[in-house]
Amino acid sequence: MRALQAVTAERADDALLSVRGLTVRFRLRAGRTVAAVTDVSFDLAAGECLALVGESGCGKSVLASALLGLLPANAQTQGTALLADGPRDGTQPQDAAARTGESGRRADGPVDLLAADERTLARTVRGRRIGLVPQSPAAHLTPVRTVRAQLEETVRALTGTPRRERRAAAEAAAERAAFPVGHLDRYPHELSGGLAQRAATALALIGDAPLLLADEPTTGLDRALVDRTADELRRHADRGKALLLITHDLAAARRVADRVAVMYAGRIVEIAPADRFFGEPGPRHPYARGLLDALPERGFTPIPGLPPELSNLPPGCAFAPRCPLATDACATRPELLAGVACHHPDGAPRA
């Protein structure tokens, strides 16, 4: 895999997705707000897999929902998320809805996902330019239609495949996602959690979208199926597409990622090439080191304490109450510099 440079202050010319200052706040009763995602920036290139990792509740899935325009009505977003031009292999979506947006604009041109309206996102982005493997597949499967019917309808909508060829295309998508062909005529409520996850993965792979967003795609799968699913997602990137893998499964991230971004309390605290992150010299942020130390093969040492409430974040470094390296300097929030947001990167005070 390619070891790509960490995010820089300027947009990368070859970025398929360029996110700058993405912030998501949820308005609650009595004027309270929850800072779910704060000032997140990164680039994602075609042919690259970026793994976004961190404990549950750190904001990973909220970030994914923001990119797809799937946040609830009480959400407020800031920043930009520029999705670059559509397919770069000379192909174009086949149906008219995919080719043009409102006012006859080309729907495969650059689009700011945070500023786009619902019509644009629904007709030209979701499924066509961004494929989604959802965290909760049962909520994304139609309960009154079989898996086969949903796959064939998705084949028709995204590729324009003739009716006589849709059955084979649906079965090919199921095979890629390790979904048993013998279960294709079942309804979602007849599936186990793992089978529902694989059905959702098959649906996401059909459109061969330039960007695939996989939100916890290995939930409910045994290790062998985790590896097979991860490898199929990696093949998507190897075909010149981009993959944003959101996961708490560090073994899956290590298997497929080019770069790793670590989130804590809504912020990216480290972003690094995967070979350096999982190998030598290893993570630079104490929280990232703690995540690796919690793996069974590295001692199974849990990070002490609990993540902070997103509605009551400390004014400085959010990890300081759990960090063995915390000093008075940590009362000030560290900036993301040289790929790490910490006053004590590598265990030493920052110069």
Side-chain angles (χ1 to χ4, degrees):
M1 297 182 188
R2 295 174 296 132
L4 301 179
Q5 292 183 343
V7 65
T8 59
E10 297 182 358
R11 295 185 188 277
D13 291 338
D14 63 346
L16 180 67
L17 175 66
S18 189
V19 176
R20 292 292 180 271
L22 173 56
T23 297
V24 180
R25 298 283 185 270
F26 292 109
R27 301 184 305 275
L28 304 181
R29 294 179 179 177
R32 297 174 59 227
T33 61
V34 172
V37 177
T38 301
D39 198 25
V40 166
S41 298
F42 63 87
D43 291 315
L44 181 56
E48 180 189 13
C49 171
L50 174 65
L52 188 62
V53 304
E55 293 169 291
S56 296
C58 69
K60 304 186 304 294
S61 293
V62 173
L63 185 151
S65 296
L67 295 178
L68 288 165
L70 296 176
L71 293 170
N74 67 330
Q76 296 176 322
T77 62
Q78 294 178 341
T80 60
L82 187 66
L83 184 65
D85 292 351
R88 301 187 177 192
D89 56 2
T91 62
Q92 296 292 340
Q94 296 186 33
D95 65 309
R99 288 195 302 269
T100 58
E102 294 184 77
S103 304
R105 292 184 295 105
R106 293 295 303 182
D108 54 349
V111 59
D112 183 353
L113 299 172
L114 302 185
D117 57 42
E118 172 59 23
R119 179 182 175 88
T120 298
L121 292 170
R123 290 171 60 87
T124 69
V125 173
R126 299 186 199 122
R128 293 182 171 87
R129 297 179 62 179
I130 303 179
L132 172 66
V133 181
Q135 183 179 27
S136 301
H140 288 256
L141 297 172
T142 304
V144 296
R145 303 188 69 188
T146 66
V147 175
R148 183 189 301 278
Q150 294 181 61
L151 288 172
E152 291 187 7
E153 171 57 23
T154 304
V155 168
R156 182 203 66 77
L158 297 184
T159 69
T161 300
R163 181 187 297 272
R164 64 182 178 277
E165 300 174 14
R166 291 174 198 163
R167 183 182 182 92
E171 292 182 356
E175 172 64 22
R176 288 177 64 188
F179 187 92
V181 174
H183 289 65
L184 281 173
D185 293 313
R186 293 189 176 186
Y187 291 89
H189 72 272
E190 299 177 302
L191 304 177
S192 66
L195 282 174
Q197 185 68 56
R198 283 180 270 170
T201 301
L203 286 166
L205 292 172
I206 284 174
D208 204 25
L211 170 60
L212 186 61
L213 199 164
D215 189 1
E216 302 290 0
T218 58
T219 299
L221 306 182
D222 61 35
R223 197 72 243 170
L225 283 173
V226 166
D227 291 346
R228 179 169 175 175
T229 299
D231 289 347
E232 183 57 48
L233 295 175
R234 178 67 226 183
R235 280 190 286 272
H236 186 81
D238 289 340
R239 290 193 294 270
K241 315 296 182 179
L243 171 63
L244 179 59
L245 174 65
I246 296 174
T247 185
H248 65 270
D249 187 338
L250 292 177
R254 178 171 52 196
R255 190 176 182 92
V256 303
D258 295 297
R259 287 186 299 145
V260 178
V262 181
M263 282 193 77
Y264 186 78
R267 292 179 178 271
I268 288 182
V269 297
E270 183 167 359
I271 187 164
D275 56 355
R276 198 209 76 189
F277 185 88
F278 291 110
E280 296 294 338
R284 303 181 61 201
H285 195 283
Y287 173 66
R289 291 196 294 271
L291 289 179
L292 290 187
D293 289 342
L295 293 174
E297 65 269 25
R298 300 204 184 195
F300 209 45
T301 305
I303 301 174
L306 296 172
E309 293 289 337
L310 295 178
S311 59
N312 188 30
L313 292 174
C317 174
F319 186 62
R322 307 172 71 187
C323 182
L325 302 177
T327 65
D328 290 345
C330 302
T332 302
R333 181 182 299 140
E335 298 297 325
L336 187 68
L337 300 174
V340 61
C342 183
H343 292 295
H344 308 287
D346 310 309
R350 175 174 270 160

